[in-house]
Every structure is written in structure tokens, then in C-alpha cells.
Amino acid sequence: DGGITQSPKYLFRKEGQNVTLSCEQNLNHDAMYWYRQDPGQGLRLIYYSQIVNDFQKGDIAEGYSVSREKKESFPLTVTSAQKNPTAFYLCASSTYVGRAAETQYFGPGTRLLVL
Amino acid sequence: KQEVTQIPAALSVPEGENLVLNCSFTDSAIYNLQWFRQDPGKGLTSLLLIQSSQREQTSGRLNASLDKSSGRSTLYIAASQPGDSATYLCAVTERGLIFGKGTKLSVKP
């Protein structure tokens, strides 16, 4: 089955700790994205990558870091600099046609909670 | 800066009704617009994508329209069913997607 997997489903972070959220896709998509969802605020773009070894900041990149060493994988690290990390994190991927992305497909999400 | 607004925030209808969900955006220079469905605690499921050059797209009981000049899109759901209960999100494409806050739909049996 083709799709996007995210792990873990739930993640707990202690204060001052960095944690990494996994995102893997087998759709052969060039572009991958990370979004954060907070109640009442909708989804906001954290980082995106159009191609391997390249990524760009989204609207709320502070306190987060990413890497794109393989086409299939786009892990997100929530660093200790992110002061309010509790949220639902969604990874997505798409083909990228010219300047416009096509349909984005989403993973099941990771819920991050702070202890 | 692009802003996406969805009205209403919540909607409750009896089973079998036809309904319309509204989405508006402030910058008409979009590449495309997508409608998604989200069930509680789950990821997003893509319903329809409308390219900027298109006026509408249909999938089963769903029909989405796009009027770029007025900055509006509508999602029409025909003959609603309890299984349609979910939050519906619209999003326009820029670098990533710019989302509205969604319409929470409840279809009562």
C-alpha cells in the first residue's frame, strides 16, 4: 500500500529535551511538508522540502529543524527552543509540478505532549 | 498575506439534506484550492483539488466550485449521511498550503 507513515502516534517531551518526529512516504513524491495543528488556529506550515537535500522555512519554523537526506524521509526535530510544542503534527507529501504543488496527501499525525 | 476563512464554523443538519460549505480567500493569485476532510484525532483526507484554471470539480456526492475573481469556493454535499460528519477544511496553495480553520459538520440520523 502506498502512503505516508508517521511515528510515534504519541510523543512525550520533557523540558529542555529535543525530540524527533518521523515521516516516511512511499508515493515517490518529490515534495514533503510539516504542519502544526492547534485547537482554534487551524494548520500552519513549519517547513517544506521540494527536493532532496533542500528545504525551506514555513510560517512558524522557529524552534524546529528538519533534514531531507532521502526522498522518502523528512524527519522533524522539535528543539528545546520551541517553548510551546504541545500540538498535533501532520506530515504531507505531493508531486510538484512547475511552481504549483498538486494534491497533498497527509499522514495520520503525531500528538506531542509536554511533561 | 493570504488569509483563508471558512463559514460557518459549525453546522448541524438532518440526514438527507443537501448542504453548502463556504471558503473565501483574500489573494486571488492562487495556484489551486483543495478541500479536505478530517475526522477527530486523525490526519487529513483529500476530497477535491481545483486548479486555478478550473471552475469546479466533482467526486460522487461532492461538488466543489471556484471563483477566483471573487475569492470564493464552495463545497456542495448532496444527500448528506451521518458518515459525512467530520471537519471540512479548505486550503489554497502557496509554498505549502494556507488553511482555513474548518467547518465542523454534524449530520444527525
Side-chain angles (χ1 to χ4, degrees):
Chain A
D1 281 331
I4 302 175
T5 57
Q6 290 186 242
S7 62
K9 186 173 182 179
Y10 296 95
L11 186 58
F12 299 91
R13 193 190 91 164
K14 295 180 181 178
E15 197 167 329
Q17 186 182 39
N18 293 352
V19 292
T20 297
L21 285 63
S22 170
C23 178
E24 303 276 333
Q25 55 99 359
N26 61 4
L27 300 169
N28 199 32
H29 286 166
D30 291 311
M32 296 186 74
Y33 312 81
W34 275 105
Y35 296 90
R36 169 180 171 145
Q37 186 174 33
D38 295 278
Q41 290 209 47
L43 283 83
R44 292 177 289 169
L45 180 66
I46 305 173
Y47 267 98
Y48 67 103
S49 169
Q50 296 178 20
I51 196 168
V52 174
N53 292 323
D54 184 61
F55 48 83
Q56 306 295 329
K57 292 182 179 180
D59 298 321
I60 54 165
E62 186 174 351
Y64 300 97
S65 66
V66 294
S67 62
R68 187 86 187 276
E69 298 177 0
K70 299 187 298 181
K71 187 175 184 179
E72 304 79 21
S73 179
F74 192 39
L76 173 74
T77 296
V78 184
T79 75
S80 57
Q82 172 51 244
K83 298 306 180 188
N84 185 24
T86 296
F88 191 46
Y89 290 86
L90 289 159
C91 178
S93 70
S94 70
T95 57
Y96 207 86
V97 180
R99 296 171 63 191
E102 293 295 317
T103 300
Q104 289 196 18
Y105 295 89
F106 282 77
T110 292
R111 190 166 299 278
L112 177 60
L113 300 166
V114 177
L115 295 175
Chain B
K1 181 182 176 184
Q2 178 75 267
E3 291 184 4
V4 179
T5 303
Q6 290 187 247
I7 295 173
L11 181 64
S12 182
V13 300
E15 182 177 3
E17 262 201 19
N18 303 326
L19 58 100
V20 175
L21 307 181
N22 297 293
C23 173
S24 62
F25 45 94
T26 54
D27 185 347
S28 61
I30 62 170
Y31 297 123
N32 56 47
L33 183 144
Q34 285 187 245
W35 283 93
F36 294 90
R37 169 188 173 133
Q38 186 176 30
D39 294 288
K42 305 292 185 183
L44 276 63
T45 300
S46 179
L47 298 173
L48 290 163
L49 178 142
I50 310 177
Q51 299 289 356
S52 60
S53 58
Q54 296 175 322
R55 298 282 294 184
E56 65 179 304
Q57 282 285 336
T58 298
S59 176
R61 294 183 294 110
L62 305 179
N63 176 276
S65 68
L66 175 63
D67 184 343
K68 272 184 57 176
S69 62
S70 67
R72 295 175 190 266
S73 176
T74 61
L75 179 67
Y76 175 82
I77 302 177
S80 59
Q81 302 170 358
D84 294 331
S85 298
T87 296
Y88 290 81
L89 298 162
C90 77
V92 298
T93 299
E94 290 194 352
R95 299 169 299 166
L97 291 171
I98 308 295
F99 282 87
K101 294 182 180 180
T103 294
K104 186 173 183 180
L105 173 65
S106 176
V107 181
K108 305 294 187 185

